[in-house]
Amino acid sequence: MSHVYICSPHRLEKENRAISDALTQLGNTVYLPADLCSSEDEVGDSKTIRRKCIEAIESADAVLCFLDDYGMDCAWELGYAEKAKKKIIGLSLDHYRLNSARISKPQSVDDYWMHGWQEHVTIAGFEPLHSRIRSKTVYLSIPVRRKEAILQIQEALEPYADKLHTPLTIMNCDLLSTARESWHVARHNCIEAIEQSQIVIVYVDDYGMDSAWELGYAERAGKEILGLSLDTAERHRMRVLRPQTVWDYWMHGWKEHSIVQGLAMLSDLFDNSKDFKVPVICPIIERHHLGSVQILIQERVKESDKEYYGVIEIPGGKILKNETIAEALKREVKEECGLDVVASESLSRENSYTLHKSKASLFEPFAVAEETGDHPFIGIFVVCRVVGGELRATSEGINQRWVSASELDDLLANKAILPIIAPGLTKYLQHMLEGAVT
């Protein structure tokens, strides 16, 4: 059974109820904001609603975001949930709405009740900020396109802060505007800057979806949050956000989170009776260097698995339907690090069996399965050697390097390796030290 928080505008009563019913029928516990604050004394009490929604997100295993009507409060909750390391899933019931640019209803900053502007301080002008940011690291949340405002704020605040992170200092804005594949790098840089900062300043005169996401993330990270307004009239103006699709909100990570279409797919995802482990190939790639054997390791950089971001792993991935283990081995290694490999252990084609259209062949690796945690995989370990290609970093893994048996032993001893990988590497290392692996 899963505990699911539904992140969706309260006014979508019909859609929210249909989503909730689909999940509860499968035995899941659902937190629906409209139900959390339904008593008469809580209706309209934004502080109470905000507190209860935050408590529900903290209690949830997953946050389900309704993308067909995705707004500022949802963006805030999504940022909060990501920092809280919750599983994030997008849901669309209408493919056309998901991919169409939407126009928001006119609202001022103070209308965004989940964002806590009744509790955070908003400062008009620069001078009152000087003493508050003195000798501190500061992150400025402001749209990338507001270059003139960024430079103005940077000039006014940089002399007082120990360090000031702005979009101009932490990302290549020219590349960002022309190459969407660079967005995940910019997103990671922004998150890292928020983590390093003590204070997050939000430019409320032009406050949009990405700023809302960053504000939610910063609040869960325990950062001091200050609003900055250089034009009081602009801050209180009823604004309409410029038309954009979900995919335009690059800070929200929708290229990395799972998105499902329709209630049937959603039910399949949360049907606890269908839980199963996924087979993945785990290649142990060897090379002989200066008379000794080394293996290839890399650092994990999957945004969907932030708890283990930067942890040591080896290349690998899911085995596709009707793909042999040897085929999966070659494909995954080529995709993840650019090398061509062949298995060192035998694929026994002689010990195969065929009946009707099905053929199965024996393979003798070793396997690891996680007993608890968030990696529902069966890792099939295969020792292999390089026969071609060129080693390169990809979006799946970075900082690839070759390590000796003693270095691998140190990494295992220091608990620096992904849990689903560690037992298999321990077995491999034992065989290597015994001279059984060549």
Side-chain angles (χ1 to χ4, degrees):
M1 180 181 71
S2 296
H3 293 251
V4 185
Y5 178 83
I6 297 179
C7 178
S8 173
H10 292 205
R11 57 187 165 74
L12 302 180
E13 184 177 349
K14 181 180 178 181
E15 293 88 342
N16 293 340
R17 188 59 58 191
I19 297 168
S20 177
D21 290 346
L23 293 171
T24 54
Q25 287 172 7
L26 296 169
N28 299 289
T29 298
V30 175
Y31 302 117
L32 192 60
D35 291 342
L36 295 174
C37 304
S38 57
S39 65
E40 290 186 9
D41 60 327
E42 292 173 344
V43 175
D45 181 357
S46 61
K47 287 187 178 181
T48 299
I49 297 173
R50 168 178 149 88
R51 176 178 56 79
K52 288 197 171 185
C53 288
I54 288 173
E55 290 174 354
I57 293 172
E58 294 284 1
S59 300
D61 303 307
V63 170
L64 179 68
C65 189
F66 184 49
L67 298 181
D68 296 344
D69 202 328
Y70 182 46
M72 291 282 280
D73 286 324
C74 294
W76 188 95
E77 292 176 318
L78 185 62
Y80 189 98
E82 182 150 339
K83 177 54 184 173
K85 294 183 170 59
K86 303 301 177 180
K87 184 176 182 180
I88 294 170
I89 299 164
L91 169 66
S92 173
L93 301 181
D94 185 335
H95 183 76
Y96 177 78
R97 285 180 59 82
L98 174 66
N99 293 287
S100 299
R102 296 178 49 251
I103 299 176
S104 62
K105 66 176 183 177
Q107 286 184 296
S108 72
V109 169
D110 294 327
D111 292 322
Y112 304 127
W113 52 271
M114 269 303 290
H115 306 193
W117 288 118
Q118 292 180 332
E119 302 159 27
H120 303 312
V121 175
T122 298
I123 294 173
F126 296 125
E127 189 172 343
L129 278 174
H130 293 164
S131 61
R132 301 190 70 140
I133 68 171
R134 193 179 301 277
S135 302
K136 293 183 178 179
T137 302
V138 179
Y139 178 83
L140 175 63
S141 178
I142 184 172
V144 175
R145 56 186 164 75
R146 294 301 299 265
K147 186 174 181 179
E148 184 177 333
I150 294 171
L151 292 174
Q152 181 187 4
I153 296 169
Q154 191 170 326
E155 182 181 2
L157 300 185
E158 210 161 33
Y160 298 90
D162 179 58
K163 188 175 184 62
L164 177 64
H165 296 291
T166 77
L168 298 182
T169 62
I170 58 180
M171 64 179 104
N172 186 331
C173 296
D174 292 333
L175 180 62
L176 187 67
S177 64
T178 58
R180 294 196 174 194
E181 61 270 18
S182 69
W183 287 7
H184 73 281
V185 177
R187 167 178 146 86
H188 174 68
N189 290 345
C190 290
I191 290 172
E192 189 175 43
I194 293 173
E195 294 283 5
Q196 293 170 358
S197 299
Q198 296 153 288
I199 298 176
V200 172
I201 295 177
V202 182
Y203 183 61
V204 295
D205 295 346
D206 195 347
Y207 181 50
M209 291 284 282
D210 286 323
S211 294
W213 188 98
E214 291 178 323
L215 180 59
Y217 188 97
E219 180 145 338
R220 181 57 173 78
K223 307 300 179 180
E224 182 181 355
I225 293 168
L226 298 172
L228 170 63
S229 176
L230 302 181
D231 185 339
T232 303
E234 187 66 23
R235 176 195 168 188
H236 294 292
R237 181 172 66 87
M238 302 294 282
R239 296 176 53 246
V240 176
L241 301 179
R242 61 193 180 116
Q244 289 183 294
T245 70
V246 166
W247 312 110
D248 294 318
Y249 304 129
W250 56 273
M251 270 302 293
H252 305 192
W254 287 117
K255 289 187 176 182
E256 296 144 20
H257 301 313
S258 300
I259 294 179
V260 296
Q261 298 273 349
L263 294 180
M265 287 183 64
L266 180 67
S267 297
D268 285 342
L269 187 64
F270 283 95
D271 187 347
N272 299 293
S273 66
K274 295 184 178 180
D275 285 347
F276 60 90
K277 289 187 180 294
V278 178
V280 299
I281 196 76
C282 299
I284 300 177
I285 306 171
E286 289 184 332
R287 76 168 185 180
H288 290 265
H289 181 69
L290 300 178
S292 64
V293 177
Q294 297 178 323
I295 75 159
L296 183 67
I297 62 171
Q298 64 183 21
E299 292 179 17
R300 186 176 181 85
V301 291
K302 290 186 181 297
E303 289 287 341
S304 58
D305 194 17
K306 279 192 169 297
E307 184 175 1
Y308 294 95
Y309 197 99
V311 171
I312 300 299
E313 64 169 7
I314 56 179
K318 297 175 184 176
I319 301 174
L320 303 179
K321 181 180 179 180
N322 292 335
E323 188 176 44
T324 68
I325 294 175
E327 290 167 346
L329 171 72
K330 293 177 181 179
R331 177 184 55 78
E332 280 291 344
V333 173
K334 188 69 173 178
E335 288 177 359
E336 287 214 11
C337 61
L339 297 176
D340 299 312
V341 298
V342 295
S344 297
E345 296 180 333
S346 63
L347 288 172
S348 182
R349 294 294 180 183
E350 294 79 11
N351 294 340
S352 61
Y353 181 86
T354 302
L355 179 62
H356 302 308
K357 296 180 179 180
S358 176
K359 180 179 180 180
S361 55
L362 174 66
F363 181 64
E364 298 179 352
F366 44 96
V368 172
E370 189 177 72
E371 296 178 10
T372 62
D374 299 321
H375 303 100
F377 309 128
I378 298 176
I380 301 174
F381 287 78
V382 184
V383 180
C384 55
R385 56 186 174 84
V386 179
V387 294
E390 184 175 343
L391 185 62
R392 55 179 171 80
T394 68
S395 60
E396 296 288 332
I398 59 173
N399 296 333
Q400 287 126 334
R401 61 189 185 274
W402 298 94
V403 296
S404 64
S406 61
E407 291 172 314
L408 180 59
D409 193 29
D410 288 341
L411 290 170
L412 288 164
N414 292 327
K415 305 288 186 182
I417 295 179
L418 190 71
I420 189 68
I421 304 296
L425 292 181
T426 299
K427 178 178 176 64
Y428 167 79
L429 184 60
Q430 291 171 346
H431 280 264
M432 177 188 283
L433 296 177
E434 293 169 1
V437 177
T438 57

